[in-house]
């Protein structure tokens, strides 16, 4: 979502004459768009701000040029005051729900008084209504935010505090944005939300649409060939959404469905509101309509009170599901969340050991999944140049990165590809025809 938000920030600043640059030293303004989900992510912000201070000084000393520095995103939301205290060279602090106001905020900077501009409101107005309709092309595979915030309040998670209450964009505005992206060359959309399958946006004629209905409507857009969504909560996988996995061909056979733990005791302490069997039952239902569905998930090890047995339950859940890919993290106490104050915090060394065992298992599953696709012929959406000369890269329906010999003019095409060799994090493939060439 930060990638999407960053793109929208460039859209909102374009009328002021700002354009993105790949070279920080050329920039007149640097915006750090930040993540607060784990401590590591937020600590990075302060080290990055140290580097930006040097960049700001270099521009002033060598070119007499004033570089504006802004901090956006969830660290800005949660630690605005701390940022201006620890890094007084920051000009603007702006939260995730107010970045549509960036032009005004830029106008308020007064380099002479070094007054900082801080905007971390949760405003009445909806930023999506105020962001420009026009935007730059986003490439063949683009993100589209449809939902933000979260009302689930998992005991470890800062999202309900930094992104705020759950909000769904009206379907018509999502569909308009999707149409514009497709007109600019996008063929795959990933619908985004912190709890995207809690989507309940205004539909047509005063009705409320769930995510399944939204996906069905988006699938009717000519030229939109692939749809994905992330991230979901198991409890919000409703019948219509599950059915969509079976009957909407554009909906890709890959699902990121975090479970966090395989222990019922820990799931309860996490306030996840579902148990292990409910999670497994959702996956069974999904696989009954889409047998080749590739599963992904998120896991936290070392949640306060997690015993060896609880952790063993996580490993056994992983074995039961068989993930094609997954993300796993050591529990990181976040200020203001209930679990941060829990007794029985787990020692760092134990967290590290558990993370290592879990990742060993998940990596083995990922490799086994990749191996199982060797020899298959699948559609690849070509997205970019690959790592080596003459190599291009795209994604399989299962979200695997696929490298193959090709050329830049294939970007944006969906090509038929034989998956040849499995690696840990990617596949090699060979294009077997030029079906779908634009
Ligand atoms: N510590 C570790 N991991 C966390 N996540 C969210 N909060 C924390 C935390 N406090 C993980 C969850 C979530 C993913 C986005 O980040 O697994 O699904
Ligand atoms: Fe955080 Fe996801 Fe739980 Fe919401 S559902 S509180 S975003 S982990």
């Amino acid at each position: 979502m930060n990638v999407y938000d960053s793109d929208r920030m460039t859209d909102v600043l374009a009328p002021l004459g700002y354009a993105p640059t790949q070279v920080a030293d050329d920039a007149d303004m640097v915006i750090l768009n930040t993540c607060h989900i784990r401590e590591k992510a937020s600590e990075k912000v302060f080290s990055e701000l140290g580097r930006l201070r040097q960049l700001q000084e270099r521009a002033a000393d060598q070119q007499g040029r004033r570089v504006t520095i802004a901090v956006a995103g969830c660290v800005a939301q949660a630690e605005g005051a701390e940022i201006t205290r620890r890094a007084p060279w920051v000009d603007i602090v702006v939260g995730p729900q107010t970045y549509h106001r960036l032009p005004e905020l830029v106008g308020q900077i007064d380099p002479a008084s070094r007054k900082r501009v801080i905007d971390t409101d949760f405003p009445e107005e909806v930023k999506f209504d105020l962001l420009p309709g026009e935007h730059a092309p986003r490439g063949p595979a683009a993100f589209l935010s449809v939902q933000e915030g979260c009302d689930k309040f998992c005991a470890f998670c800062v999202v309900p505090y930094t992104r705020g209450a759950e909000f769904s964009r009206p379907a018509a505005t999502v569909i308009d944005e999707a149409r514009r992206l497709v007109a600019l060359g996008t063929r795959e959309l990933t619908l985004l939300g912190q709890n995207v399958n809690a989507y309940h946006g205004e539909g047509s004629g005063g009705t409320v649409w769930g995510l399944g209905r939204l996906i069905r409507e988006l699938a009717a857009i000519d030229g939109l060939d692939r749809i994905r969504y992330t991230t979901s909560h198991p409890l919000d996988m409703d019948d219509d959404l599950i059915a969509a996995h079976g009957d909407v061909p554009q909906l890709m056979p890959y699902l990121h469905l975090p479970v966090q733990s395989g222990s019922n005791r820990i799931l309860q302490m996490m306030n996840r509101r579902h148990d292990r069997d409910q999670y497994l039952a959702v996956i069974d239902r999904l696989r009954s309509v889409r047998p080749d569905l590739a599963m992904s998930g998120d896991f936290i090890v070392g949640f306060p009170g997690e015993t060896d047995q609880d952790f063993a339950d996580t490993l056994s859940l992983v074995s039961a599901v068989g993930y094609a890919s997954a993300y796993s993290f050591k529990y990181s106490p976040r200020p203001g969340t209930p679990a941060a104050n829990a007794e029985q915090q787990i020692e760092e060394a134990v967290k590290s050991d558990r993370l290592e065992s879990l990742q060993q298992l998940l990596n083995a599953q990922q490799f086994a999944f990749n191996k199982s696709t060797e020899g298959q012929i699948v559609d690849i959406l070509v997205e970019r140049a690959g790592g080596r000369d003459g190599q291009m890269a795209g994604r399989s329906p299962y979200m695997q990165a696929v490298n193959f010999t090709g050329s830049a003019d294939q970007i944006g095409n969906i090509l038929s590809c034989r998956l040849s060799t499995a690696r840990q994090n990617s596949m090699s493939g060979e294009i077997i025809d030029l079906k779908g060439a634009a």
Side-chain angles (χ1 to χ4, degrees), residues 37 149-160 194-195 231-233 258 260 270-272:
I37 197 88
C150 185
D151 295 339
K152 291 280 188 299
F153 290 92
C154 298
F156 51 81
C157 184
V158 286
V159 165
Q194 273 81 34
N195 188 6
T231 282
S232 296
H233 191 286
Q260 317 296 356
M270 285 178 164
N271 190 32
R272 287 288 292 178

Side-chain angles (χ1 to χ4, degrees), residues 376-380 396-398 400 402 415-419:
Q376 280 190 29
I377 292 169
V378 297
D379 282 347
I380 302 294
S396 76
Y398 308 114
Q400 296 155 293
V402 182
L415 304 177
S416 204
C417 178
R418 180 182 288 109
L419 300 177

Side-chain angles (χ1 to χ4, degrees), residues 286-301:
L286 284 158
R287 283 182 167 157
S288 73
V289 298
R290 185 78 212 220
D292 65 337
L293 187 71
M295 288 303 304
S296 171
D298 288 341
F299 297 89
I300 295 177
V301 299

